[in-house]
Amino acid sequence: MEFLQTPPTLPDAWKSDRFLRESVRFLVGDEVFDAAEPDLAEMGALAVDPRTIALARQAENEPPRHIPYSTWGERIDEIEVSPAYVALGKLGVERGVTAMPYEAGPYGPSARVIWAALVTLWGPSSALYSCPVAMTDAAARTLLVHGGPSDLEVVERLTTRDTERAWTSGQWMTEMTGGSDVGRTETTATLGPDGVWRLHGIKWFTSATTSEVALTLARPEGAQEGSRGLSLFRIHRFNEDGTRNSIFVRRLKDKLGTRSLPTAELELHGAIAHPVGEPDGGGVRRIATMLNLTRVHNAIGAAGALARGLAWARAYAREREVFGRPLHTFPAHKATLTDLAVDHAAALALVLRSAELTGRVESDIATDDERNVLRGLTPITKLATARWAVAGTAEAMECLGGVGYCEDSGLPALVRNTHVMPIWEGTTNVLALDLLRATQRSGAAAAVIADARAAVREVHDDPFVTEAVREVERALDHLEHSLATTAGDESVEAGARTFAMGLATTYACARLCVQGAWAARRDDTRTSLAATRLARRGLLAPPAPEELALGMDDPTGARRSESLEA
């Protein structure tokens, strides 16, 4: 008789994620947790409902299509997306993935923690609709902080649960001259005699290009060169009179992943735009509000991808029988699943702490120290969770063997989509250097270190986390020494990634120590075990290479490079 493998079934995303449930309760307390759990439980069930998974698969198989001209030859530059992609977006919007942080609900400053849990559950099933949600949330916050009365109606449409009124926002920064080097932005802004600003230029990467509105940088005529001359503008696909704005689509990007999400090259030919704040050259400072929040979103996406990969790996291990035994009973496989679970716990520890501090800042109750911690924590959270997610989702795919490598398992899409996370909103090196700049300006890294020290000080003598606390304190000593002895040469930049990864891992372990001790007092020691395992794996990254000349070779085939000869 032919053998047929019983297929794994994704478990309820909320009920099966013990660490997510515990983390939310730990951060918000029993009362807020009990109020929020019905919404989170509903999303946990919806995220793995076969109909939702089918929509995500349909959206993946129906990529966006560029329609440059109408039937009668009019240039329209429409981008058609899958109806399944739209349906997944509506599912999220109705349940508050953009609205919750802006509502006067029962969660108070804890709303960002509940919201982060909600998006973690929804994101892996959203076919990357989580990308426009990230930029929509960040645009709403930016307009509230830096905009004026004319921006309030836009904010309302970006933060509503009414899918008939809801808008999404894009973020158009990247140009051919550079990604992170925004000072080379070539888009210009001209103020006409009618008092209307018009933009001219090319945007090389614009994600969620079907959004009704976007925020973008441009240089007003006569403004100084470099980043200080840039201003922030709000631009709409359609003008107030219903006519199309002068935005032309050159082509859609053919990407490794995020295939259901439209990403395009755009040309702006006198496109009408509205300054956000005064067009005085403060655009980079203003859009930093957007970038910081989208980085938190990116980390949430990474944590959600790790959770989904782990759920698939565990589900398969329950069903697969090898040599007469369930796969999950083999020590080697149990060890693999354990390290995936530790990565998931570490990522959530960083993500939910970032969300907690973001909520306190937005509620205007954060201390100066908390604001500085968030400034340092944001880039390292995005940096570390993205790296962990790329490795973790690939490991999860391997756990399913050859079936996991097949498209119809759903794992290849998860792996492909995760690969954008170390790239979007700053690569690993860009984020590490951002941490260095923030440290030089405001002591951001020192603030993160101090916060980690304060956390483990609370549980220094707790028997469940003794070993992990000792390793955290040892790593913090090393990181502090690195800060105190940095020299003003290229070795500082060369070691930026090493320092940032070490700080992220150490901070995550510190948070797990505190949560683990709290959970152990409630008779659950699993989080303390995760903290110990993370500590034993090593909290500090290997040092940066000293011989940087090895990084490049002479393309002419010369025996020795100039740098080595020198």
Side-chain angles (χ1 to χ4, degrees):
M1 181 177 179
E2 181 184 9
F3 170 78
L4 289 176
Q5 171 65 48
T6 302
T9 301
L10 275 177
D12 183 294
W14 173 248
K15 291 179 180 178
S16 68
D17 197 332
R18 177 203 64 83
F19 188 77
L20 178 60
R21 296 196 318 276
E22 178 192 284
S23 299
V24 173
R25 189 184 291 275
F26 168 68
L27 289 171
V28 306
D30 292 336
E31 183 177 347
V32 173
F33 179 88
D34 290 342
E37 187 169 28
D39 285 343
L40 295 173
E42 180 191 28
M43 182 60 85
L46 275 172
V48 299
D49 186 293
R51 291 166 294 185
T52 305
I53 300 300
L55 285 173
R57 186 165 297 170
Q58 179 185 343
E60 177 79 8
N61 293 329
E62 296 175 351
R65 187 168 66 96
H66 176 209
I67 305 172
Y69 297 98
S70 72
T71 302
W72 300 102
E74 177 193 5
R75 185 70 183 264
I76 57 174
D77 279 312
E78 285 289 342
I79 297 175
E80 185 180 86
V81 297
S82 170
Y85 179 77
V86 176
L88 291 166
K90 287 182 177 181
L91 185 153
V93 168
E94 288 172 342
R95 286 156 183 82
V97 294
T98 51
M100 186 178 288
Y102 301 88
E103 295 172 330
Y107 310 136
S110 296
R112 275 290 180 189
V113 176
I114 305 303
W115 158 84
L118 188 78
V119 179
T120 299
L121 296 167
W122 170 75
S125 299
S126 71
L128 266 293
Y129 202 95
S130 51
C131 177
V133 162
M135 293 182 288
T136 298
D137 180 9
R141 181 58 53 186
T142 301
L143 294 175
L144 282 174
V145 173
H146 302 292
S150 62
D151 296 302
L152 294 181
E153 182 181 350
V154 176
V155 171
E156 187 276 326
R157 300 200 74 154
L158 296 177
T159 59
T160 181
R161 292 185 188 229
D162 182 354
T163 57
E164 296 302 315
R165 287 188 51 75
W167 282 358
T168 57
S169 175
Q171 173 185 302
W172 300 351
M173 287 184 60
T174 305
E175 300 196 0
M176 295 173 72
T177 49
S180 59
D181 189 3
V182 295
R184 299 178 67 187
T185 294
E186 295 181 338
T187 299
T188 59
T190 305
L191 182 62
D194 55 359
V196 175
W197 286 92
R198 290 176 171 82
L199 306 188
H200 296 262
I202 296 173
K203 296 299 181 180
W204 186 237
F205 270 92
T206 63
S207 290
T209 320
T210 50
S211 294
E212 289 81 3
V213 64
L215 298 188
T216 189
L217 293 173
R219 193 182 312 279
E221 283 188 327
Q224 64 179 300
E225 294 300 310
S227 59
R228 293 185 178 182
L230 298 175
S231 294
L232 183 61
F233 290 87
R234 167 170 53 87
I235 186 169
H236 293 241
R237 279 200 302 134
F238 290 89
N239 299 315
E240 292 182 3
D241 61 3
T243 59
R244 297 177 187 277
N245 210 347
S246 296
I247 303 168
F248 299 91
V249 178
R250 299 177 75 176
R251 60 173 173 170
L252 292 176
K253 296 291 193 181
D254 186 7
K255 301 165 293 180
L256 168 69
T258 67
R259 293 178 177 176
S260 56
L261 168 74
T263 304
E265 297 170 21
L266 299 180
E267 294 182 9
L268 311 178
H269 293 288
I272 293 174
H274 312 272
V276 178
E278 292 297 321
D280 56 2
V284 173
R285 174 179 56 82
R286 294 183 179 109
I287 207 166
T289 301
M290 188 174 199
L291 293 176
N292 286 330
L293 194 48
T294 50
R295 284 174 175 175
V296 174
H297 272 270
N298 190 287
I300 291 171
L306 277 167
R308 180 58 57 85
L310 178 59
W312 272 120
R314 284 172 166 169
Y316 183 71
R318 290 188 188 97
E319 298 295 341
R320 180 63 172 167
E321 186 178 286
V322 184
F323 303 118
R325 292 166 53 188
L327 180 58
H328 69 83
T329 65
F330 285 83
H333 201 71
K334 289 165 72 173
T336 299
L337 295 176
T338 295
D339 275 331
L340 281 175
V342 170
D343 290 344
H344 170 235
L348 273 180
L350 292 176
V351 164
L352 294 180
R353 177 61 169 161
S354 297
E356 179 188 33
L357 292 175
T358 297
R360 292 183 62 80
V361 168
E362 292 176 350
S363 300
D364 202 25
I365 61 172
T367 65
D368 290 341
D369 285 343
E370 287 175 326
R371 292 175 184 272
N372 212 16
V373 170
L374 181 60
R375 177 63 186 91
L377 188 59
T378 298
I380 64 172
T381 294
K382 193 274 187 186
L383 172 154
T385 56
R387 305 295 301 187
W388 293 337
V390 167
T393 54
E395 187 74 76
M397 182 169 69
E398 184 179 339
C399 285
L400 271 69
V403 174
Y405 192 65
C406 295
E407 285 290 344
D408 55 3
S409 74
L411 270 298
L414 181 69
V415 172
R416 281 196 304 270
N417 292 341
T418 303
H419 271 72
V420 78
M421 289 172 181
I423 298 172
W424 188 61
E425 297 302 24
T427 61
T428 306
N429 284 341
V430 166
L431 292 163
L433 294 174
D434 180 51
L435 175 67
L436 283 187
R437 286 191 296 271
T439 298
Q440 292 163 356
R441 294 171 182 170
S442 64
V448 175
I449 291 172
D451 196 55
R453 280 202 187 280
V456 294
R457 193 179 300 124
E458 297 177 14
V459 295
H460 187 273
D461 298 321
D462 191 290
F464 290 100
V465 293
T466 300
E467 180 184 348
V469 166
R470 185 174 62 246
E471 292 302 318
V472 166
E473 291 175 336
R474 185 177 300 162
L476 292 174
D477 289 342
H478 178 90
L479 292 164
E480 276 190 336
H481 178 74
S482 297
L483 276 182
T485 58
T486 51
D489 57 28
E490 68 176 12
S491 66
V492 178
E493 286 196 12
R497 176 191 288 229
T498 292
F499 180 84
M501 278 298 299
L503 182 57
T505 308
T506 303
Y507 190 87
C509 194
R511 297 298 303 176
L512 290 177
C513 285
V514 179
Q515 184 175 328
W518 171 86
R521 292 193 293 272
R522 294 183 170 215
D523 298 322
D524 192 336
T525 62
R526 286 174 288 183
T527 297
S528 64
L529 293 174
T532 301
R533 173 57 184 165
L534 185 60
R536 287 177 178 173
R537 289 187 342 195
L539 300 179
L540 299 175
E546 294 181 5
E547 184 45 88
L548 301 182
L550 295 174
M552 295 291 285
D553 269 344
D554 190 327
T556 66
R559 186 173 180 179
R560 294 173 62 85
S561 70
E562 291 182 7
S563 59
L564 285 174
E565 290 173 348

